[in-house]
Amino acid sequence: MEGVGLSANNKQKQNQMLPNKMRGEFTRNQRKDSEGLSEAPDLEFEYSDADKWTVELSELYSYTEGPEFLLNRKCFEEDFHTHMPDQKWTELDSVQHRAHAMRLLDGLDVIGRERRLKVARAILYMAQGTFGECSSELEVQHWMRYNVFLLLDVGAFTALVELLNMEIDNSAACSSAVRKPAISLADSTDLRVLLNIMYLMVETIQREEPTDSPEWRTIKETFKSELGSPLYNHEPVSVMLFGMVTKFCSGHAPHFPMKKVLLLLWKTILFTLGGFEQLQCSKHESRIPPASASDLIEQQQRRARREHKALIKQDNLDAFNEKDPYKADDAREDEEENDDNDNSLEAEPFPLERDEVMPPPIPHPPSERVCFPKGLPWAPKVREKDIENFLESSRSKFIGYTLGNDTDTVVGLPRPIHESIKTLKQHKYVSVAEVQITKEEEYQKTPLSGGEEELEMCATELLYQGILPSLPQYMIALLKILLAAAPTSKAKTDSINILADVLPEEMPTTVLQSMKLGVDVNRHKEIIVKAISAILLLLLKHFKLNHVYQFEYMAQHLVFANCIPLILKFFNQNIMSYITAKNSISALDFPHCVVHELPELTAESLEAGDNNQFCWRNLFSCINLLRILNKLTKWKHSRTMMLVVFKSAPILKRALKVKQAMMQLYVLKLLKVQTKYLGRQWRKSNMKTMSAIYQKVRHRLNDDWAYGNDLDARPWDFQAEECALRANIERFNSRRYDKNQSNPEFLPVDNCLQSVLGQRIDLPEDFQMNYDLWLEREVFSKPISWEELLQ
């Protein structure tokens, strides 16, 4: 990967002030920035698992695929009118629909490739909503949903997976594509048709619709569990798609339509593992310890206090002109810090409750007077390590001795130190990851007495086991494609060609065609970045919840594959231009283009683009990449130093120009972790950034983030940190997944004489033939001192 060229201009103008409103939205009345960036618009963006359904459908197709919509329709109608002349699909009953769908499915079993492709196109037309008989986009969407559930019910998805496997292993197509100097849409026709149907099925079924019948809901849940289990081809579908990605990047299959593969991979992971809301629910469940009756009563009391406390915070924050983006409005941001205080496994040895140190509610007077909050708008958190460090430094200062990990003995320490320890312990937060690490240490220490670990074979665990053998190659492949799709990348002869499924057979001959292809290519790259960023973030978050060492294994291989400089390189561009890019032609988007007559496209209309304030997918991608960067660097000082070495501060400050709360929050978090390394001069010249961090980012109680006094901030051997982590990960993977390499010392030994002598041992033929000689040499000719033997 080429080096990252970063700007070192620390005195660049910036916009550090954060917005008033979280949940992904910016308020319209944000005050003017005094540093000259107030001309940037406020972005009313709502972060979610994915964009609107119609947008996600349209992004599956390149604009160069437009003529194929009518070809699919033709294939369907030829076959349909042969069996049902003068009939319309939308006028048949469910029995006739099912009969025709099964007839089409039988057609996929034919040997002839041309015939099979025609049948596949007919099935694709069904999945596209039989749009030829629809008069509106809503009608198309209705028939899409109906047809997709019908296809799933008759077993179409299983047949499609088998055909896809056949195409993946099609060595003739691969060798032909490798030899071609230029690859176009025509080289991937069969694969594109199959992937289109599979994507439409997964994307349609995973969408929640309140009008779905109980039967459809059952079909959906069954499909979800089958998709995440090794049912198809003895591996989860996601693992098969990862294999396609690595085969493409290795150069053995340059004709694979990579955008469609990545989109299907993303939606499969999203469907089988769950999105951000499901993640938050799972996290809450994992934080709940087994409760006794008294615990349940106490939890109810705490819940009542928490609800009251949340209202306090809400009032405070509404009164405070710049609302804290962390609190209960949006759990997604809160969990990025491992955070939901409401669900923490807290150790509270003192009777003082957390609520008692929170500021009291501020009553709103009837007048318009603004009331400012007393204290912080969030509850601080403390790790066990923070308490240990505080006690160690206090003991060294006042008494002159240390007690290691002892956090209870306070003999000889002054009364104010007792109060400090009391406050720290009151806010102690034990993360799920810390609990998992402690359990793993116990398993490693006591492999025999510790007992067998009970593994819950959930979708995340099945996926991890599936990708574990080749996970490093999968991460490298994804980052290679991300690099090729990044707008800052220069075209190189050795870089992979990701445009195989967008370039037409005949290159454009007019200016208008060239402009249209240019928009298509840029849009194609943006969609690839969107899919990869979502895949990486989802996997990191799900693995972290399932087991922290699964997360660390993936994160470490991303770091080894230069993910940190790659993301910084991605942001080393005019990020406002990227977020407001208009690389779309709404008239050509599906399903609009198949229902309405296409207007005449002109160079002016293409250049003007759409009327949207920003590009949803690009802002989504930027936030995802920032969240990935946060996950890779959090609590890892060696990786934080990489941010410093690659001069990320000016790049991240430029990203603050984007007036979107969630994006600014993750930028500020990345600046916060490296501030202590940047020196006094940087802090002096970036006081507005420092103020924004103080106001907007959660702090630990004794968080000395702005200065280099923290023990962990000193330049230790950072390589040793990564090596120790790697050793822990390898021990975890070996213990849990490598069943063949069990330690022979821990295997049971048979001490019973009868059973040992009773075992049948097969002796080699030459030994049996020379048995008499062996007896003479080894037994009869050797004197035996029976007295010594008996003693």
Side-chain angles (χ1 to χ4, degrees):
M1 189 178 294
E2 62 180 338
V4 184
L6 306 179
S7 166
N9 182 8
N10 285 338
K11 296 187 179 178
Q12 161 183 5
K13 291 183 180 179
Q14 53 196 309
N15 174 23
Q16 289 90 348
M17 301 312 295
L18 279 173
N20 298 342
K21 196 154 181 77
M22 200 54 195
R23 284 195 70 77
E25 291 193 11
F26 229 80
T27 52
R28 301 172 191 275
N29 58 348
Q30 189 194 26
R31 54 188 171 153
K32 297 288 184 182
D33 192 310
S34 61
E35 293 199 343
L37 295 173
S38 55
E39 70 277 3
D42 297 346
L43 306 183
E44 297 183 6
F45 168 83
E46 187 166 348
Y47 186 84
S48 183
D49 291 323
D51 207 341
K52 295 188 288 290
W53 187 40
T54 50
V55 177
E56 296 295 338
L57 294 179
S58 68
E59 289 183 351
L60 174 63
Y61 309 102
S62 304
Y63 294 142
T64 41
E65 288 181 90
E68 294 189 15
F69 289 124
L70 291 178
L71 182 56
N72 299 338
R73 178 181 174 180
K74 183 185 171 188
C75 291
F76 175 84
E77 289 179 348
E78 281 179 2
D79 183 82
F80 182 68
H81 291 145
T82 303
H83 296 95
M84 297 183 180
D86 305 323
Q87 296 265 27
K88 280 190 170 184
W89 175 262
T90 52
E91 294 172 356
L92 300 181
D93 58 31
S94 58
V95 176
Q96 291 170 307
H97 282 151
R98 188 179 181 85
H100 188 70
M102 294 188 77
R103 192 183 302 121
L104 284 176
L105 210 57
D106 290 340
L108 288 178
D109 287 337
V110 298
I111 297 172
R113 178 176 287 273
E114 288 297 320
R115 171 64 188 151
R116 201 165 59 227
L117 180 59
K118 277 191 174 183
V119 174
R121 282 197 181 281
I123 293 174
L124 176 55
Y125 177 69
M126 280 181 65
Q128 289 169 341
T130 50
F131 52 79
E133 300 174 24
C134 301
S135 56
S136 69
E137 292 182 36
L138 282 175
E139 205 177 338
V140 172
Q141 291 171 29
H142 165 77
W143 282 105
M144 272 189 73
R145 198 160 182 83
Y146 175 83
N147 292 345
V148 160
F149 272 99
L150 173 65
L151 287 170
L152 184 63
D153 197 30
V154 298
F157 199 83
T158 308
L160 292 168
V161 172
E162 289 172 4
L163 283 175
L164 183 61
N165 266 313
M166 220 165 69
E167 290 298 328
I168 293 169
D169 298 333
N170 186 346
S171 55
C174 292
S175 56
S176 169
V178 168
R179 287 196 301 270
K180 275 195 174 183
I183 298 170
S184 68
L185 274 173
D187 297 299
S188 60
T189 305
D190 294 44
L191 280 165
R192 282 187 297 108
V193 171
L194 296 173
L195 289 166
N196 282 346
I197 305 170
M198 292 171 73
Y199 177 87
L200 291 175
M201 291 181 76
V202 173
E203 174 62 15
T204 303
I205 290 166
Q206 72 150 338
R207 293 275 168 168
E208 287 285 348
E209 285 291 339
T211 55
D212 285 352
S213 65
E215 185 188 357
W216 279 12
R217 292 179 192 276
T218 307
I219 291 172
K220 175 183 173 177
E221 288 306 313
T222 306
F223 182 51
K224 180 179 177 179
S225 61
E226 287 175 354
L227 205 57
S229 62
L231 188 66
Y232 303 104
N233 201 34
H234 309 296
E235 62 185 7
V237 172
S238 303
V239 178
M240 179 182 72
L241 296 170
F242 266 120
M244 289 185 76
V245 175
T246 48
K247 192 170 182 180
F248 170 80
C249 286
S250 66
H252 297 312
H255 64 300
F256 280 2
M258 207 29 56
K259 183 189 83 173
K260 295 181 191 297
V261 172
L262 291 167
L263 283 174
L264 179 56
L265 176 57
W266 168 33
K267 292 306 168 69
T268 304
I269 292 171
L270 182 61
F271 184 33
T272 54
L273 305 192
F276 298 120
E277 287 188 12
Q278 291 99 314
L279 259 167
Q280 194 65 13
C281 292
S282 302
K283 183 176 177 184
H284 288 186
E285 288 170 12
S286 69
R287 300 202 63 81
I288 299 170
S292 62
S294 58
D295 291 338
L296 288 171
I297 294 167
E298 189 179 349
Q299 278 179 15
Q300 287 172 355
Q301 291 171 345
R302 284 195 182 185
R303 194 177 299 117
R305 284 197 298 270
R306 278 203 304 268
E307 287 165 4
H308 176 60
K309 186 165 63 178
L311 289 172
I312 296 171
K313 293 175 192 170
Q314 185 65 54
D315 289 344
N316 288 346
L317 296 172
D318 287 345
F320 195 33
N321 193 34
E322 293 180 21
K323 182 179 171 187
D324 167 54
Y326 251 116
K327 283 335 293 167
D329 313 52
D330 197 346
R332 280 194 294 270
E333 283 67 58
D334 200 40
E335 43 113 353
E336 192 65 22
E337 285 259 338
N338 244 351
D339 288 347
D340 206 336
N341 284 300
D342 297 347
N343 294 287
S344 57
L345 303 173
E346 295 170 36
E348 299 193 28
F350 297 99
L352 185 63
E353 285 290 339
R354 201 177 267 202
D355 314 278
E356 296 171 32
V357 296
M358 292 302 296
I362 299 174
H364 278 277
S367 67
E368 292 296 315
R369 187 167 60 84
V370 173
C371 299
F372 289 90
K374 296 176 184 177
L376 295 170
W378 55 71
K381 300 191 308 186
V382 180
R383 294 180 300 165
E384 180 75 21
K385 189 177 180 183
D386 297 329
I387 300 173
E388 288 173 11
N389 289 342
F390 178 76
L391 268 170
E392 287 296 281
S393 60
S394 299
R395 285 167 183 152
S396 299
K397 183 177 179 180
F398 292 105
I399 304 172
Y401 72 87
T402 59
L403 290 176
N405 296 336
D406 184 347
T407 57
D408 297 321
T409 306
V410 290
V411 177
L413 295 175
R415 181 66 188 164
I417 299 295
H418 290 214
E419 293 295 322
S420 301
I421 297 164
K422 183 178 179 180
T423 306
L424 288 172
K425 287 190 173 182
Q426 178 189 325
H427 290 85
K428 182 178 169 185
Y429 174 91
V430 182
S431 68
V432 176
E434 287 175 286
V435 174
Q436 290 169 343
I437 288 170
T438 306
K439 282 184 181 176
E440 181 59 26
E441 286 172 354
E442 287 299 316
Y443 282 124
Q444 297 288 353
K445 283 179 188 172
T446 57
L448 291 175
S449 58
E452 282 290 320
E453 183 181 11
E454 290 183 15
L455 262 183
E456 184 191 351
M457 299 308 287
C458 59
T460 310
E461 183 63 36
L462 289 168
L463 178 60
Y464 184 77
Q465 291 184 17
I467 67 174
L468 177 61
S470 306
L471 187 139
Q473 291 90 325
Y474 296 153
M475 295 305 108
I476 290 168
L478 287 176
L479 293 183
K480 270 187 178 179
I481 299 170
L482 182 61
L483 177 64
T488 50
S489 293
K490 305 284 187 294
K492 288 185 168 182
T493 51
D494 60 340
S495 64
I496 50 178
N497 176 21
I498 56 170
L499 304 177
D501 51 335
V502 70
L503 296 177
E505 281 189 272
E506 296 179 5
M507 294 308 284
T509 53
T510 66
V511 174
L512 185 64
Q513 287 175 341
S514 297
M515 287 181 71
K516 181 184 164 189
L517 183 59
V519 169
D520 207 1
V521 165
N522 289 336
R523 172 178 175 266
H524 182 82
K525 288 182 174 180
E526 289 171 3
I527 295 167
I528 286 176
V529 172
K530 172 187 174 183
I532 292 177
S533 67
I535 289 167
L536 292 176
L537 182 60
L538 275 173
L539 288 178
L540 285 170
K541 292 182 79 61
H542 278 285
F543 286 157
K544 187 164 190 179
L545 185 60
N546 197 49
H547 199 289
V548 65
Y549 281 138
Q550 295 177 350
F551 159 80
E552 295 291 6
Y553 186 55
M554 177 178 168
Q556 195 162 62
H557 280 291
L558 284 173
V559 172
F560 292 162
N562 282 342
C563 185
I564 292 174
L566 171 53
I567 294 176
L568 293 175
K569 178 180 175 133
F570 180 89
F571 280 96
N572 193 24
Q573 59 170 312
N574 186 338
I575 209 70
M576 272 305 295
S577 298
Y578 185 71
I579 282 167
T580 55
K582 297 184 182 298
N583 292 313
S584 60
I585 308 167
S586 55
L588 299 180
D589 284 341
F590 178 87
H592 183 278
C593 64
V594 296
V595 176
H596 303 94
E597 283 199 22
L598 294 182
E600 188 179 348
L601 295 174
T602 62
E604 290 74 24
S605 66
L606 288 182
E607 202 165 337
D610 54 32
N611 297 322
N612 293 331
Q613 184 193 21
F614 57 88
C615 177
W616 195 96
R617 65 173 164 264
N618 289 357
L619 190 44
F620 176 76
S621 301
C622 289
I623 291 173
N624 285 347
L625 290 171
L626 286 169
R627 294 182 78 178
I628 291 164
L629 204 51
N630 266 288
K631 287 208 158 292
L632 295 182
T633 54
K634 187 177 176 184
W635 302 121
K636 303 288 190 304
H637 303 289
S638 55
R639 298 174 193 176
T640 304
M641 284 306 295
M642 288 180 77
L643 293 177
V644 179
V645 167
F646 289 115
K647 298 185 174 65
S648 66
I651 292 174
L652 294 169
K653 277 172 55 187
R654 283 201 296 274
L656 285 173
K657 290 182 182 180
V658 180
K659 288 191 177 180
Q660 204 286 318
M662 192 172 178
M663 180 163 168
Q664 288 187 327
L665 172 65
Y666 290 113
V667 170
L668 289 173
K669 286 168 90 171
L670 285 166
L671 286 169
K672 176 179 179 269
V673 295
Q674 57 178 311
T675 300
K676 65 181 76 168
Y677 302 106
L678 295 174
R680 183 179 298 174
Q681 186 55 45
W682 188 91
R683 294 194 288 270
K684 277 177 67 179
S685 38
N686 292 278
M687 285 312 294
K688 285 198 74 178
T689 310
M690 302 284 285
S691 300
I693 293 170
Y694 266 118
Q695 288 176 341
K696 304 301 171 187
V697 183
R698 179 189 294 277
H699 290 58
R700 303 262 160 174
L701 262 188
N702 46 357
D703 197 350
D704 200 8
W705 62 272
Y707 307 98
N709 302 328
D710 187 0
L711 287 173
D712 292 329
R714 294 175 189 171
W716 310 124
D717 181 4
F718 290 132
Q719 195 174 358
E721 184 184 35
E722 289 289 351
C723 289
L725 177 62
R726 190 173 188 176
N728 288 336
I729 295 166
E730 285 175 354
R731 278 196 292 269
F732 164 77
N733 283 333
S734 176
R735 179 191 67 78
R736 197 188 253 199
Y737 304 112
D738 196 354
K739 300 301 179 187
N740 298 325
Q741 291 191 357
S742 53
N743 193 327
E745 292 182 16
F746 297 147
L747 293 176
V749 178
D750 189 353
N751 293 318
C752 176
L753 187 65
Q754 280 185 318
S755 66
V756 171
L757 293 176
Q759 288 177 5
R760 179 176 178 79
I761 298 173
D762 293 325
L763 300 170
E765 274 188 39
D766 57 342
F767 179 82
Q768 292 179 22
M769 290 171 64
N770 299 299
Y771 180 58
D772 295 337
L773 292 173
W774 180 86
L775 275 176
E776 184 64 38
R777 185 178 70 245
E778 298 293 333
V779 181
F780 301 143
S781 62
K782 289 196 173 180
I784 298 173
S785 175
W786 294 103
E787 290 80 8
E788 287 183 19
L789 188 63
L790 290 171
Q791 287 174 3

